[in-house]
């Protein structure tokens, strides 16, 4: 049996409109749905959210984005979502980051910074300095969500053992 394909990732943001603008302009994502308000009720989506969030979640806003290769970002804005200072705790279980691929990652970083994000690393790094052009950098969106950018595909980057 073949393995599944990757569909989307869900992230929580404190400002849905700003997130839509950021991901559209920073990564060329398509805005495909929303913002829409989801309320706790007896609808199919209301019941689905009860299963995920438990009783008492009330309501939230949602929007959907898609990358040029069809991978989605589902963005949630809850009434109690507030920006966090220094929320990155690498040792905690859960999502650490997600990654885009762009051979012009240095230019992509400039776009991210112009839209309120930031480069998290001091500089762009090479996996095989002096041997191969595989580069990477960690950034943050305006809300502190960690985004990695690779210059080359995941398979190329790791197929030769990047850490040896």
């Amino acid at each position: 049996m073949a393995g599944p394909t990757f569909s989307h990732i869900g992230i929580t943001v404190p400002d849905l409109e700003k997130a839509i603008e950021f991901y559209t302009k920073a990564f060329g994502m398509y805005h495909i749905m929303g913002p829409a308000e989801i309320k706790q009720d007896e609808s199919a989506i209301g019941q689905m959210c009860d299963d995920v969030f438990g009783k008492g979640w009330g309501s939230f806003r949602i929007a959907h984005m898609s990358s040029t290769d069809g991978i989605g970002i589902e963005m949630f804005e809850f009434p109690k979502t507030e920006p966090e200072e220094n929320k990155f705790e690498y040792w905690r279980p859960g999502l650490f980051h997600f990654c885009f691929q762009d051979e012009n990652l240095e230019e992509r970083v400039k776009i991210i910074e112009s839209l309120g994000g930031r480069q998290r690393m001091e500089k762009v790094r090479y996996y095989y300095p002096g041997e191969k052009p595989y580069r990477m950098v960690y950034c943050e969106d305006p809300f502190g969500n960690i985004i990695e950018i690779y210059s080359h595909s995941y398979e190329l980057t790791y197929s030769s053992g990047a850490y040896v």
Side-chain angles (χ1 to χ4, degrees), residues 73-117:
I73 294 183
E74 186 176 29
M75 294 183 285
F76 298 83
E77 178 189 299
F78 295 92
K80 295 179 182 179
T81 302
E82 296 179 8
E84 290 185 329
E85 273 190 49
N86 208 17
K87 75 172 197 166
F88 180 57
E89 296 175 331
Y90 61 88
W91 63 92
R92 296 190 64 177
L95 181 68
F96 173 164
H97 68 276
F98 53 96
C99 185
F100 287 94
Q101 180 183 325
D102 187 341
E103 65 184 26
N104 298 311
L105 63 90
E106 292 84 359
E107 292 302 314
R108 186 68 51 199
V109 169
K110 291 176 187 173
I111 294 168
I112 290 168
E113 291 175 333
S114 76
L115 295 167

Side-chain angles (χ1 to χ4, degrees), residues 38 44-55 57 60 76:
I38 307 297
I45 188 72
Q47 291 175 13
M48 196 181 322
C49 291
D50 283 348
D51 292 344
V52 175
F53 304 133
K55 297 289 183 186
W57 55 270
F60 63 89
F76 298 83

